[in-house]
């Protein structure tokens, strides 16, 4: 029998039992739809406790929508979004950001999955030229697509560059919780305090079910304009939940009693353990620093199919035989040890 859990993605994990319980608790009687309900008010209060007052929060169903609508709120179609060349918005959203914003995405090379000011400044040109798209947003992913973590000073430097050049900093925080846990920072210290303007805040990968949020951090009064029309963008984007209470109660639970942090810390710890198991296997080469809940490794080509027969996972880069193994809130030490043993056997011809 195949193991109950594998290492393909934190998306493959189920819903955290506390969240499932909260959903059942919210499943009583009728409540007003579309967000005008006590669960939504309470969840928004929780966001304000974590991120501070003056923010605007909107719930959506998935991360792609969160990114697309967040970017849409910041841009006009003649503008451009600068992002990493492996950014989820660039490689994994089927062109949805381009479709919804009308903007060009400008991919730039990254270092260990991270954008640098130097790389961004290389593509910041054509300003005021009517023939050229106008860069308006720098988008970073935290944790990165290769599960590394931007240091606070790296985010700050990108924010400073963006703001000095009349651009915004968007953060795809599908795994922000893992990053904050890794850095030992609060959610606010990992985002707003570093100069992030709009955050796609992930819930699904951290134990929720179809619950993501777009969070606006206005720095000056005119920035309030950005979120003002978001209600309409969300509805046009088909992301307004009629039974909003079931998204809201999940966030309320995630943001209570440090559930977001405990789950992320656990997933990160399991990835650390997995790395330690793999370091003992000479045929396995770890590709990136293991800083959150994912391990990327190059392994002998023949071993990939052998391991996949028992454990489902994705090949990240076929040319390099690089695989991606992710841990979740529900990964156990036993899962990791068994997997490590299986990999060790599979790589011996
Ligand atoms: C970095 C990143 N951003 C966003 C998403 C959101 O994707 P989805 O639309 O599948 O929820 C994902 C999902 O894998 C992701 O890895």
């Amino acid at each position: 029998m195949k193991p109950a859990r594998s290492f393909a993605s934190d998306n493959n994990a189920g819903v955290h039992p506390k969240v499932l319980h909260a959903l059942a608790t919210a499943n009583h009687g009728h409540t007003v739809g579309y967000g005008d309900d006590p669960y939504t008010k309470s969840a928004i209060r929780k966001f304000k406790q974590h991120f501070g007052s003056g923010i605007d929060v909107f719930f959506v169903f998935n991360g792609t929508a969160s990114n697309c609508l967040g970017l849409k709120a910041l841009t006009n179609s003649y503008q451009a979004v600068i992002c990493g060349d492996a950014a989820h918005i660039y490689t994994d959203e089927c062109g949805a950001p381009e479709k919804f914003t009308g903007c060009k995405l400008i991919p730039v090379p990254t270092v260990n999955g991270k954008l640098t000011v130097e790389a961004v400044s290389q593509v910041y040109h054509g300003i005021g030229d009517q023939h050229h798209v106008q860069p308006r947003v720098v988008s970073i992913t935290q944790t990165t697509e290769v599960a590394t973590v931007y240091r606070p000073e790296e985010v700050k430097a990108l924010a400073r560059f963006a703001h000095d050049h009349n651009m915004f900093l968007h953060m795809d925080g599908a795994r922000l919780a893992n990053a904050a846990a890794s850095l030992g920072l609060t959610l606010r210290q990992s985002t707003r305090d570093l100069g992030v303007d709009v955050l796609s805040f992930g819930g699904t990968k951290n134990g929720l079910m179809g619950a993501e949020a777009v969070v606006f951090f206005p720095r000056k009064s005119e920035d309030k304009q950005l979120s003002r029309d978001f209600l309409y963008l969300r509805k046009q984007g088909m992301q307004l939940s009629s039974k909003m209470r079931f998204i809201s109660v999940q966030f309320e639970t995630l943001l209570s009693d440090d559930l977001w942090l405990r789950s992320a810390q656990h997933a990160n710890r399991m990835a650390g353990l997995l790395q330690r198991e793999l370091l003992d296997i000479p045929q396995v080469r770890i590709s990136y620093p293991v800083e959150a809940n994912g391990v990327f490794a190059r392994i002998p080509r023949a071993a990939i199919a052998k391991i996949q027969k028992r454990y489902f996972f994705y090949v990240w880069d076929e040319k390099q035989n690089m695989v991606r193994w992710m841990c979740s809130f529900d990964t156990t030490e036993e899962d990791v040890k068994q997997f490590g043993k299986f990999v060790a056997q599979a790589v011996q011809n």
Side-chain angles (χ1 to χ4, degrees):
M1 210 172 56
K2 284 195 179 188
R5 287 173 292 277
S6 74
F7 293 82
S9 172
D10 33 12
N11 276 334
N12 291 14
V15 181
H16 193 285
K18 278 193 190 311
V19 174
L20 216 45
H21 176 74
L23 279 164
T25 310
N27 193 30
H28 285 292
H30 287 201
T31 187
V32 180
Y34 300 106
D36 201 3
D37 65 83
Y39 299 98
T40 304
K41 289 192 177 75
S42 172
I44 289 173
R45 265 199 306 277
K46 286 277 173 200
F47 270 86
K48 290 185 174 165
Q49 279 167 17
H50 283 276
F51 289 100
S53 58
I55 64 167
D56 289 307
V57 188
F58 302 88
F59 300 140
V60 295
F61 297 110
N62 61 37
T64 299
S66 179
N67 284 336
C68 291
L69 295 175
L71 292 173
K72 172 82 182 152
L74 297 176
T75 51
N76 284 307
S77 60
Y78 53 84
Q79 293 174 323
V81 176
I82 301 171
C83 60
D85 54 9
H88 200 268
I89 56 171
Y90 186 64
T91 61
D92 272 314
E93 297 185 356
C94 194
E98 290 95 329
K99 175 178 156 72
F100 279 92
T101 62
C103 289
K104 185 179 173 104
L105 263 52
I106 304 178
V108 299
T110 55
V111 180
N112 279 340
K114 302 184 207 175
L115 277 185
T116 60
V117 170
E118 199 194 353
V120 171
S121 59
Q122 293 289 321
V123 295
Y124 181 82
H125 53 72
I127 309 306
D129 177 348
Q130 64 182 332
H131 301 286
H132 201 284
V133 287
Q134 302 294 296
R136 186 62 166 151
V137 181
V138 176
S139 178
I140 60 174
T141 309
Q142 180 75 312
T143 65
T144 70
E145 282 76 7
V146 292
T148 53
V149 178
Y150 282 91
R151 310 291 313 164
E153 56 276 15
E154 293 169 330
V155 179
K156 256 192 200 164
L158 286 161
R160 199 175 312 120
F161 182 87
H163 298 158
D164 286 351
H165 294 83
N166 196 28
M167 295 191 287
F168 296 109
L169 183 66
H170 164 256
M171 180 182 277
D172 174 349
R175 297 186 180 87
L176 174 66
N178 301 91
S182 168
L183 294 168
L185 297 178
T186 65
L187 293 172
R188 176 179 177 147
Q189 287 166 341
S190 323
T191 55
R192 188 181 194 180
D193 290 355
L194 304 178
V196 173
D197 295 291
V198 174
L199 167 69
S200 301
F201 181 64
T204 312
K205 290 170 181 23
N206 202 18
L208 306 193
M209 178 172 55
E212 306 282 316
V214 182
V215 191
F216 291 82
F217 304 121
R219 284 176 293 118
K220 35 193 190 330
S221 55
E222 60 260 38
D223 289 350
K224 269 296 204 191
Q225 299 253 339
L226 301 172
S227 55
R228 202 194 50 202
D229 292 341
F230 195 83
L231 289 175
Y232 313 112
L233 291 178
R234 179 175 61 179
K235 181 67 184 185
Q236 271 201 334
M238 297 160 279
Q239 290 284 317
L240 175 60
S241 172
S242 56
K243 296 193 178 180
M244 179 91 76
R245 68 171 135 158
F246 296 110
I247 296 184
S248 306
V249 76
Q250 295 187 61
F251 274 119
E252 192 191 26
T253 309
L254 187 72
L255 295 177
S256 298
D257 305 325
D258 281 344
L259 180 62
W260 69 272
L261 179 61
R262 286 183 285 120
S263 291
Q265 280 172 335
H266 175 82
N268 291 358
R269 202 164 46 242
M270 291 302 103
L273 181 62
L274 178 57
Q275 170 178 235
R276 285 198 293 283
E277 295 286 315
L278 298 172
L279 284 174
D280 290 337
I281 310 173
Q283 296 90 335
V284 174
R285 298 277 169 81
I286 305 288
S287 307
Y288 298 104
V290 176
E291 296 174 341
N293 64 322
V295 179
F296 288 68
R298 291 167 66 178
I299 65 173
R301 183 176 293 258
I304 295 178
K306 277 198 229 166
I307 305 170
Q308 279 177 329
K309 277 204 180 125
R310 185 161 171 76
Y311 291 94
F312 176 69
F313 62 85
Y314 297 103
V315 177
W316 184 253
D317 182 335
E318 279 186 26
K319 279 199 206 109
Q320 296 196 67
N321 300 325
M322 192 190 293
V323 297
R324 180 188 88 153
W325 291 324
M326 301 298 293
C327 296
S328 321
F329 73 87
D330 65 348
T331 305
T332 66
E333 286 191 17
E334 194 49 34
D335 293 338
V336 174
K337 296 226 161 106
Q338 280 183 6
F339 182 65
K341 227 187 261 168
F342 195 80
V343 171
Q345 281 164 9
V347 295
Q348 324 271 339
N349 310 315

